[in-house]
Amino acid sequence: MSFSDPANLVLLEQYHAQWQKDPASVPEVWRAFFQGFNFGGGGKPDEQHTNAQVGVLRLVFAHRDLGHRSAHLDPLNGPPPVIPELTLEFNGLTEAHLDQQFGSNFKSLQHATLREILAALRQSYCGMIGYEYMHIQDPKIRGWLQERIEPRRSQPNMTREQKIKILHDLHDSELFEKFLHNRFLGQKRFSLEGAETLIPLLNAFVDRAPDFGVSEYVLGMAHRGRLNVLANVLHKPLVDVFAEFEDYFRDDTADGDGDVKYHLGFASDVMVRGHLLHLTLTPNPSHLEAVNSVVEGRTRAKQEQFHDSQRKRGIPLLIHGDAAFSGQGSVYETLNLSNLDGYTTGGTLHVVINNQIGFTTSPHNGRSSQYCTDVAKTIQAPIFHVNAEDPETVVFIAELALEFRQTFGCDVFIDMYCYRKRGHNEGDEPSFTQPLMYRKIASRPSATKVYTDKLIHDEVLNEEESQLIDQVFEMKLDRTQKELKSQPPRPRGMPRFEGRWKGLQLRYAHDPVATGVPLETLRQIGEALCHKPENLTLHRKIFDPDTKSDGPSERKSLFGRHLDMVQGREKVDWGFAEALAFGSLLVEKIPIRLSGQDSGRGTFSQRHAVLVDQETGECYVPLDHLGPEQAPFAVYDSPLSEFALLGFEFGYTLDSPNTLVLWEAQFGDFANGGQVIVDQFIASSESKWQRSSGLVLLLPHGYEGQGPEHSSARLERFLQLCADDNIQVVNTTAPAQYFHLLRRQVKRNFRKPLIIMTPKSLLRHPLAKSALNEFTTGHFREVLDDPTADANKVRRVVLCSGKIYYDFLFDAEQKDAEKARRKIPADVAIVRVEQFYPFPEEQLQQVLRRYRKATEYVWAQEEPQNMGGWAFMEPRLRALEINVQFVGRDASSSPATGSHRIHVREQKEIVEVALDGPVPHVVRAVRVPEAPPPGSDKVAAMQK
């Protein structure tokens, strides 16, 4: 009978009272339990002993549940007092019970005296480890942990060889920091001093990898201890580390701007007992915890490359700081991905370097929870708090955490209590704000000293052997620095375009790449997409068997319209163009991964990549059924997270360059929530860390009077980030263009992030369609000329991008189709800039040379003057000696008006002026007057 569940304790009391009155009325399992109790004479229950037995069970449960609160976790302070819930008195027991025998569900102590049970409980749960696992609802997991905690009483039981290995790791960690501190005075390094035990902890993961089938760890961590981890875990050559301190690098070999040394990544292969283990430390910016989801995405990509369906070979390993872990929302966003089909990595190993302080902020000012790790309980992960000054126990916990992860495929947390010997950085004075803490730290011997003394006391080694360990590592450090000064420094940067990236290059090229698909192939794909299995019941708007094949297209179901498109009876719309692009890549064995909020159906019901059976609720994905040799297609409806999702998909692209990876925002402005990832990873990773990415962002953008938050994808923000050919920013206008653009992304010999301003109203616009033959030949065109303009008559050239092009051609407010078509003046040409960046200078010049008689050039946009493409385009057009004028909305602090009526008026004015009005022209914002109350004099005046 298990009493790890509080409900069982309640039942015990209820059934015990019932058993005393009528034993036969109690379930058999409980009768057997009560019959095992001792009884007094006369056949009556010994009520005092029975109550004491209940108290013993409560005592066991209390230690499992709350023992961590009395564990000695803080190396700067002594053990905390025993909390009342763990005392004999609180559980109805006294010292008189200590030598009595009791039944117990404590592992390995089924029957023992209370004295023995209490000692085992205190040793297991109130020592140098504080366990939190009783919040986990799965009894198998709780039982598994108890089997590994209680029989060995949380004792590490290390061999002499293991102890010497731990000592070596501690010495290497401490001496590395001392060497840097003495040789590179005043330089920031965010040292690991006070938390040196992190190195034996991480090396325990490395050492035990072969035993658990691990072939790769993907690490993510912030600044503190990063250099030490690089040197003593990933074995980055010390000469490279010192070269970064000396700021040695050759200008002619450096790629991009680089980054500070404690942000850089590194990868290495380590041989562990004949087992090759790959270690990757992911580069990261200063934004704490931002790297978390990037690591998860990288790991997921690697697992799929390995065909590791059990997710055992590759493991994400995240190293956190205590203040950042409890303070950053990205932590929870990433944890929320852990058990979702599209994002799970089979469990993450988390290590918190708990310095018990932020920059200068104490825990009571930095969080509302008891522990910095309390957010981990949201995913029912076990949490092991451990005192870093007991390195053997830390290694024991690391091994337990690894075994747990490999057994259950779940996240697990190690909260390593330590301290920060110096300030936030080496130039900071911490005693300004924490004088009491740093008075203790100043007099505190290092963890290495404490452990060395222990091993000498236990006669594991002697003083001379300890000193020899120090001397060997110091000699290695000295030799490395001399080597650095005598030989030319190596250039900075990580190796690139190796492994899966082999054959790809860095530089962007405007040269077009053929992306057409044979007509027969398109028809085969289209027919496969419109095939309905017999046992599938679809919504009538998707498949209607009663619709006549020769009926009006607008009345047909989705499948009917798509069949018309692929047979050439109707032009192809945006959604089906995308499906054909996806399908053509899949049959060419190029995998596709698409994620975002509502991406399966599409926010605007334009995609229907996932079809739901109307009777059973089961899902059917047509793109999975194109042929036996096709590549996999994955589409995921994501959680409501932009920050974590963007990071995850970016990370995925780092290790899967030949997969088309797309992230879609529900509305373009939703990317605001992931702006940190855009700024610090997507736009700058090539320059900072020499890491390329082919991630595609689909951001619905366009002004339809839906208010400020559903209009703009903040095109101007992406354009502001453009430099060094780092990203591609596109606002394309035609389904065929979109088709070629998606295919181009994986057909060229380089990878750059692609930002696409995708449409909303154009998804079903009668003019925003492409003929089928536009998909069979050609390529994406970065500039589109006006197909109807007579160059000899053109006086004004209107340059624009995106959805506003169709406002020039079509008045959406007009219900009559004929009246809706606008008459474009014969002396006006409309030129579409389909790609903003990299700027298509030659293509644009080639188009504009046609209009030699033009005297006016206008840039027209929907967005306010301080947004959209104007600030980007104006200097580039003037550099081409084009005197361009602006037509659009006035500068604004908000992207758009919230009034549909005002939107229509502004849009109409922009179109009319751009086509045939005086320029430049700014549409002024108009405040919406409040409606007067009925019957007032103002009503009559307004009507008049």
Side-chain angles (χ1 to χ4, degrees):
M1 185 63 61
S2 172
F3 290 97
S4 61
D5 190 335
N8 280 352
L9 290 174
V10 176
L11 285 175
L12 183 145
E13 293 179 325
Q14 293 175 349
Y15 281 134
H16 178 242
Q18 185 177 337
W19 179 74
Q20 289 178 305
K21 297 177 182 178
D22 182 10
S25 66
V26 176
E28 183 177 353
V29 65
W30 288 93
R31 285 205 305 273
F33 180 79
F34 291 129
Q35 287 166 1
F37 285 176
N38 294 329
F39 294 95
K44 294 182 179 180
D46 183 345
E47 186 169 350
Q48 288 185 348
H49 191 83
T50 301
N51 290 338
Q53 176 67 68
V54 173
V56 170
L57 296 175
R58 287 186 175 277
L59 188 66
V60 173
F61 177 84
H63 277 79
R64 289 170 172 169
D65 189 35
L66 300 173
H68 56 88
R69 290 174 56 189
S70 292
H72 183 195
L73 304 178
D74 185 358
L76 297 178
N77 293 291
V82 175
I83 62 172
E85 291 85 349
L86 305 183
T87 62
L88 298 176
E89 294 76 15
F90 189 89
N91 292 283
L93 300 166
T94 67
E95 291 189 3
H97 293 106
L98 285 174
D99 294 313
Q100 295 183 23
Q101 291 277 334
F102 291 96
S104 165
N105 62 347
F106 185 89
K107 307 299 180 185
S108 77
L109 276 182
Q110 298 302 313
H111 295 281
T113 65
L114 177 57
R115 189 183 304 277
E116 293 171 324
I117 294 171
L118 183 59
L121 288 171
R122 295 282 167 84
Q123 192 176 21
S124 299
Y125 290 104
C126 302
M128 292 292 197
I129 309 170
Y131 298 96
E132 287 192 278
Y133 65 90
M134 295 299 284
H135 57 280
I136 300 173
Q137 296 179 15
D138 188 339
K140 292 181 180 178
I141 293 180
R142 295 198 301 265
W144 186 92
L145 288 168
Q146 289 161 12
E147 289 285 358
R148 280 149 183 81
I149 295 168
E150 295 175 358
R152 66 189 295 174
R153 309 288 196 270
S154 293
Q155 299 306 299
N157 302 327
M158 298 285 173
T159 65
R160 181 180 187 277
E161 181 182 10
Q162 289 174 309
K163 293 177 181 180
I164 297 298
K165 173 64 167 61
I166 292 171
L167 184 63
H168 271 281
D169 286 343
L170 284 174
H171 274 278
D172 291 354
S173 176
E174 182 177 339
L175 290 172
F176 176 81
E177 297 294 352
K178 284 183 177 179
F179 184 88
L180 295 183
H181 186 72
N182 294 329
R183 300 297 176 92
F184 303 105
L185 289 173
Q187 287 206 42
K188 283 185 185 180
R189 69 181 192 278
F190 294 95
S191 81
L192 193 60
E193 292 166 286
E196 292 92 344
T197 312
L198 177 69
I199 301 304
L201 187 161
L202 296 180
N203 278 332
F205 289 144
V206 171
D207 295 338
R208 293 301 305 275
D211 303 325
F212 294 102
V214 182
S215 59
E216 181 156 6
Y217 288 110
V218 184
L219 285 75
M221 68 181 298
H223 322 324
R224 186 155 317 284
R226 188 182 191 90
L227 299 179
N228 207 315
V229 169
L230 284 167
N232 290 312
V233 179
L234 282 84
H235 305 293
K236 180 176 181 177
L238 292 173
V239 67
D240 288 4
V241 176
F242 296 162
E244 290 162 1
F245 275 94
E246 299 283 6
D247 205 16
Y248 283 146
F249 69 99
R250 296 196 300 267
D251 291 340
D252 61 332
T253 59
D255 290 325
D257 297 312
D259 202 350
V260 292
K261 48 191 169 289
Y262 41 81
H263 287 174
L264 302 177
F266 188 73
S268 64
D269 290 317
V270 179
M271 190 64 69
V272 185
R273 290 181 276 128
H275 175 92
L276 188 65
L277 180 68
H278 189 67
L279 304 175
T280 302
L281 179 61
T282 304
N284 67 286
S286 288
H287 198 97
L288 301 177
E289 306 293 337
V291 77
N292 293 352
S293 62
V294 177
V295 168
E296 301 294 338
R298 295 195 68 178
T299 307
R300 174 71 176 233
K302 289 173 181 286
Q303 290 171 344
E304 293 180 358
Q305 293 282 346
F306 299 154
H307 303 290
D308 181 15
S309 59
Q310 298 299 311
R311 310 197 187 283
K312 303 295 186 185
R313 292 176 56 188
I315 298 180
L317 170 54
L318 294 176
I319 305 165
H320 313 272
D322 54 317
F325 188 82
S326 59
Q328 296 289 305
S330 61
V331 170
Y332 172 72
E333 287 193 31
T334 304
L335 291 180
N336 187 49
L337 303 179
S338 62
N339 295 314
L340 303 181
D341 287 343
Y343 312 94
T344 183
T345 53
T348 299
L349 295 170
H350 298 265
V351 177
V352 179
I353 303 174
N354 194 336
N355 294 307
Q356 307 182 73
I357 192 173
F359 190 151
T360 65
T361 304
S362 299
H364 67 272
N365 289 324
R367 64 174 185 262
S368 297
S369 58
Q370 179 179 3
Y371 295 113
C372 66
T373 52
D374 280 352
V375 69
K377 296 178 183 177
T378 61
I379 58 170
Q380 298 190 42
I383 306 162
F384 307 137
H385 309 280
V386 61
N387 190 322
E389 212 159 74
D390 187 346
E392 291 181 23
T393 299
V394 171
V395 169
F396 160 66
I397 283 298
E399 294 174 345
L400 176 62
L402 178 58
E403 184 183 6
F404 176 87
R405 191 273 178 196
Q406 293 298 79
T407 302
F408 294 102
C410 301
D411 287 41
V412 57
F413 290 78
I414 300 174
D415 179 16
M416 191 183 77
Y417 271 70
C418 50
Y419 55 87
R420 188 186 69 197
K421 184 174 181 179
R422 305 186 189 279
H424 176 68
N425 60 63
E426 285 64 40
D428 182 51
E429 177 50 70
S431 61
F432 286 156
T433 50
Q434 274 78 28
L436 302 183
M437 172 185 276
Y438 277 87
R439 194 174 302 151
K440 291 180 181 179
I441 291 173
S443 61
R444 191 82 189 164
S446 68
T448 305
K449 172 65 174 170
V450 172
Y451 189 56
T452 301
D453 291 346
K454 177 181 182 299
L455 294 187
I456 293 173
H457 177 271
D458 295 343
E459 299 183 349
V460 175
L461 80 167
N462 56 44
E463 187 74 39
E464 291 75 18
E465 291 172 316
S466 169
Q467 292 175 357
L468 182 61
I469 294 173
D470 278 3
Q471 291 169 5
V472 169
F473 193 70
E474 283 183 346
M475 290 171 58
K476 180 180 177 181
L477 294 171
D478 285 330
R479 187 170 61 250
T480 300
Q481 193 177 36
K482 290 176 182 177
E483 177 186 339
L484 173 66
K485 293 184 176 181
S486 64
Q487 296 180 4
R490 296 174 54 180
R492 283 183 178 178
M494 295 175 67
R496 57 166 64 185
F497 306 125
E498 297 177 356
R500 300 183 188 98
W501 286 85
K502 192 171 184 179
L504 297 173
Q505 65 175 28
L506 173 65
R507 301 197 180 282
Y508 182 91
H510 288 276
D511 300 334
V513 57
T515 47
V517 176
L519 180 60
E520 186 59 32
T521 303
L522 288 177
R523 285 181 172 162
Q524 290 174 359
I525 294 169
E527 289 169 1
L529 293 176
C530 297
H531 171 71
K532 187 190 84 66
E534 290 184 6
N535 60 347
L536 190 67
T537 304
L538 296 178
H539 195 285
R540 282 189 170 272
K541 289 186 177 180
I542 295 175
F543 176 80
D544 187 353
D546 299 329
T547 302
K548 294 181 180 180
S549 60
D550 58 351
S553 179
E554 64 272 12
R555 296 181 186 175
K556 290 181 180 178
S557 65
L558 182 74
F559 278 12
R561 294 196 301 274
H562 285 176
L563 285 172
D564 282 350
M565 293 174 191
V566 83
Q567 293 299 330
R569 294 189 292 267
E570 182 181 344
K571 288 187 175 182
V572 179
D573 65 13
W574 201 276
F576 196 54
E578 179 188 78
L580 292 174
F582 287 169
S584 65
L585 291 172
L586 293 171
V587 299
E588 294 169 11
K589 299 184 180 181
I590 296 174
I592 296 174
R593 176 185 170 90
L594 167 64
S595 75
Q597 296 148 15
D598 316 296
S599 286
R601 190 201 75 180
T603 297
F604 311 102
S605 295
Q606 84 280 11
R607 181 171 293 122
H608 293 291
V610 179
L611 305 177
V612 181
D613 190 297
Q614 299 296 294
E615 300 295 331
T616 67
E618 294 182 1
C619 294
Y620 175 76
V621 181
L623 283 165
D624 280 338
H625 301 276
L626 302 178
E629 302 298 322
Q630 72 165 86
F633 173 73
V635 56
Y636 301 107
D637 288 344
S638 73
L640 285 168
S641 162
E642 290 83 34
F643 192 114
L645 262 295
L646 263 180
F648 187 99
E649 303 304 343
F650 171 81
Y652 193 100
T653 63
L654 295 181
D655 288 278
S656 192
N658 296 314
T659 299
L660 179 64
V661 182
L662 309 99
W663 176 79
E664 182 175 53
Q666 190 177 82
F667 282 87
D669 64 283
F670 283 30
N672 293 344
Q675 196 65 41
V676 169
I677 301 296
V678 173
D679 292 350
Q680 300 193 335
F681 288 93
I682 295 173
S684 57
S685 65
E686 272 193 354
S687 179
K688 294 192 295 189
W689 310 314
Q690 296 81 54
R691 298 293 90 184
S692 298
S693 166
L695 179 62
V696 179
L697 272 59
L698 305 178
L699 308 179
H701 176 84
Y703 282 54
E704 286 97 2
Q706 297 190 49
E709 306 311 330
H710 288 166
S711 295
S712 177
R714 293 293 192 173
L715 171 63
E716 64 282 353
R717 290 183 181 171
F718 294 98
L719 295 177
Q720 189 180 35
L721 294 170
C722 292
D724 305 318
D725 291 343
N726 60 331
I727 58 176
Q728 307 164 89
V729 182
V730 173
N731 191 11
T732 191
T733 56
Q737 282 278 86
Y738 182 49
F739 171 90
H740 290 295
L741 178 64
L742 292 176
R743 288 179 53 79
R744 183 185 79 162
Q745 183 67 359
V746 287
K747 289 292 183 179
R748 294 183 294 185
N749 63 348
F750 57 87
R751 297 289 180 264
K752 303 282 183 178
L754 172 60
I755 317 301
I756 307 178
M757 303 288 117
T758 58
K760 302 189 295 289
S761 61
L762 299 190
L763 295 173
R764 294 173 180 81
H765 197 288
L767 298 183
K769 294 186 177 182
S770 300
L772 190 60
N773 61 10
E774 295 180 63
F775 297 80
T776 59
T777 59
H779 54 83
F780 176 74
R781 291 178 289 168
E782 297 174 356
V783 179
L784 289 178
D785 197 359
D786 191 333
T788 64
D790 183 344
N792 294 319
K793 296 180 180 179
V794 170
R795 171 186 57 86
R796 173 181 291 187
V797 176
V798 177
L799 295 156
C800 67
S801 183
K803 172 245 170 189
I804 196 173
Y805 169 73
Y806 290 95
D807 291 333
F808 294 137
L809 307 182
F810 191 90
D811 184 356
E813 297 300 313
Q814 285 283 357
K815 303 303 179 185
D816 186 285
E818 290 302 319
K819 292 182 179 179
R821 288 182 177 270
R822 298 188 191 275
K823 184 175 178 58
I824 307 297
D827 60 352
V828 173
I830 304 174
V831 174
R832 287 170 276 174
V833 178
E834 299 279 286
Q835 176 171 302
F836 282 99
Y837 193 81
F839 185 60
E841 180 177 332
E842 291 184 13
Q843 295 90 324
L844 184 57
Q845 282 184 314
Q846 184 177 353
V847 169
L848 296 182
R849 285 193 197 105
R850 288 187 59 219
Y851 305 108
R852 300 186 184 278
K853 296 183 178 180
T855 57
E856 296 179 352
Y857 292 88
V858 171
W859 175 262
Q861 66 179 38
E862 302 179 287
E863 303 89 350
Q865 191 172 14
N866 58 328
M867 302 177 192
W870 169 242
F872 177 86
M873 291 297 297
E874 182 192 20
R876 287 165 174 80
L877 291 171
R878 295 197 187 281
L880 299 179
E881 299 182 351
I882 297 172
N883 185 22
V884 65
Q885 305 295 327
F886 175 79
V887 174
R889 289 174 169 84
D890 193 8
S892 173
S893 58
S894 174
T897 176
S899 165
H900 185 269
R901 179 170 59 84
I902 290 180
H903 161 77
V904 171
R905 185 195 66 75
E906 291 176 344
Q907 202 78 356
K908 181 180 179 181
E909 187 176 339
I910 291 171
V911 170
E912 290 177 350
V913 173
L915 294 179
D916 194 24
V919 293
H921 184 88
V922 175
V923 176
R924 304 294 178 186
V926 179
R927 182 176 178 272
V928 183
E930 294 183 4
S936 70
D937 293 339
K938 290 184 179 180
V939 173
M942 288 179 65
Q943 290 174 346
K944 182 178 180 181

